[in-house]
Amino acid sequence: MSARVLIIEDDEEILKFLRRGLAYDGYTVDTAIDGQEGLSLARENPPDLVVLDWMLPGMDGLEVCRRLRAGGPVPILMLTARTSVNDRVQGLDAGADDYMVKPFNLDELLARIRALLRRTQPSRPKVYQFADLTLDTGTRQALRGERIIDLTAKEYELLELFMRHPRQVMTRETIYDDVWGYDFGGESNIIEVYVRYLRQKLESEDEPRLLHTVRGMGYVLREPD
């Protein structure tokens, strides 16, 4: 689904220009010509991003920005003719995520909207594939061919690390940091234990080995010997 953008702008010409440009770029667009109307629209149909004018009749853009920010983490791009550094500071301190000065370039504004949405929207789940091994990060399910592999939480995290870095040797230190987040100490055999668990599940029907030991270094996910 396309992202929903709410434009709060009292200049009708600028409003039409923005609505046309965003709609052409694939966004669903709602509009309001004053702050109170914009806040009401944001409550009734929460947008993915707000383009907000500073100089609005009644409630100004700074107050609208504060109230929007108090209501949630929606990204806000403030659009205004006020150009001083102090104005920018006030806008950002009120909760704006970005600040553009009028007159503006539409292509730049669209690029800034895309950047804000990338930063705030959750990334899509990835599906990793290596040889006949598949790992779906959305469902957290692993498959060897058509066979479903049941994994514990730590086994999943360990396998995901190897699937993110195929054919790269993962040292013990890297594995500790990524999977456990702290050091068990040089004498701990926790990695060896979990690698053994993982191999047993990956090879339970005598499939070729994919998770190999690199002596003195660590482990690597690579094609069978």
Side-chain angles (χ1 to χ4, degrees), residues 66-77:
R66 293 188 189 99
R67 296 194 185 190
L68 285 169
R69 179 58 62 235
V74 61
I76 301 168
L77 190 157

Side-chain angles (χ1 to χ4, degrees), residues 8-11 14 32-35 52-64 78-83 87 99 102:
I8 307 176
E9 167 65 66
D10 68 322
D11 186 308
I14 294 177
I33 58 173
D34 63 60
L52 174 64
D53 183 27
W54 182 319
M55 303 301 291
L56 293 169
M59 187 186 303
D60 70 15
L62 283 184
E63 182 60 26
V64 174
M78 186 161 278
L79 196 61
T80 176
R82 302 177 70 130
T83 61
D87 290 331
Y99 188 107
K102 299 176 182 177

Side-chain angles (χ1 to χ4, degrees), residues 3-197:
R4 179 178 296 278
V5 177
L6 171 61
I7 305 169
I8 307 176
E9 167 65 66
D10 68 322
D11 186 308
E12 291 189 7
E13 291 303 314
I14 294 177
L15 187 61
K16 290 178 183 178
F17 176 70
L18 286 171
R19 180 170 51 201
R20 184 168 57 248
L22 269 69
Y24 184 79
D25 213 46
Y27 296 101
T28 300
V29 182
D30 293 326
T31 62
I33 58 173
D34 63 60
Q36 193 58 58
E37 182 188 8
L39 288 172
S40 297
L41 281 174
R43 284 194 296 265
E44 293 166 6
N45 198 356
D48 297 301
L49 182 141
V50 176
V51 176
L52 174 64
D53 183 27
W54 182 319
M55 303 301 291
L56 293 169
M59 187 186 303
D60 70 15
L62 283 184
E63 182 60 26
V64 174
C65 188
R66 293 188 189 99
R67 296 194 185 190
L68 285 169
R69 179 58 62 235
V74 61
I76 301 168
L77 190 157
M78 186 161 278
L79 196 61
T80 176
R82 302 177 70 130
T83 61
S84 75
V85 172
N86 184 58
D87 290 331
R88 292 172 185 265
V89 170
Q90 285 189 68
L92 295 171
D93 282 347
D97 298 281
D98 201 355
Y99 188 107
M100 282 193 74
V101 174
K102 299 176 182 177
F104 58 90
N105 178 275
L106 180 62
D107 288 336
E108 182 184 358
L109 181 136
L110 292 172
R112 292 193 184 204
I113 287 175
R114 289 192 294 270
L116 285 173
L117 290 172
R118 279 197 303 271
R119 295 208 307 262
T120 56
Q121 291 183 339
S123 58
R124 295 179 180 177
K126 293 184 178 180
V127 177
Y128 295 102
Q129 181 81 43
F130 185 82
D132 62 346
L133 182 60
T134 304
L135 185 69
D136 187 327
T137 63
T139 62
R140 296 175 71 89
Q141 185 178 74
L143 297 171
R144 187 82 196 256
E146 299 297 321
R147 178 172 64 84
I148 296 175
I149 303 169
D150 292 320
L151 300 172
T152 67
K154 283 300 178 192
E155 288 167 353
Y156 169 85
E157 291 175 27
L158 183 60
L159 181 58
E160 185 186 12
L161 172 63
F162 286 112
M163 294 291 278
R164 290 201 314 265
H165 304 281
R167 304 184 188 89
Q168 297 180 35
V169 176
M170 296 288 105
T171 65
R172 290 170 58 88
E173 292 76 14
T174 297
I175 296 170
Y176 277 140
D177 290 344
D178 194 279
V179 178
W180 279 272
Y182 59 93
D183 192 354
F184 277 84
E187 300 303 316
S188 172
N189 68 341
I190 191 72
I191 293 177
E192 288 78 5
V193 169
Y194 272 87
V195 167
R196 184 168 70 248
Y197 290 161

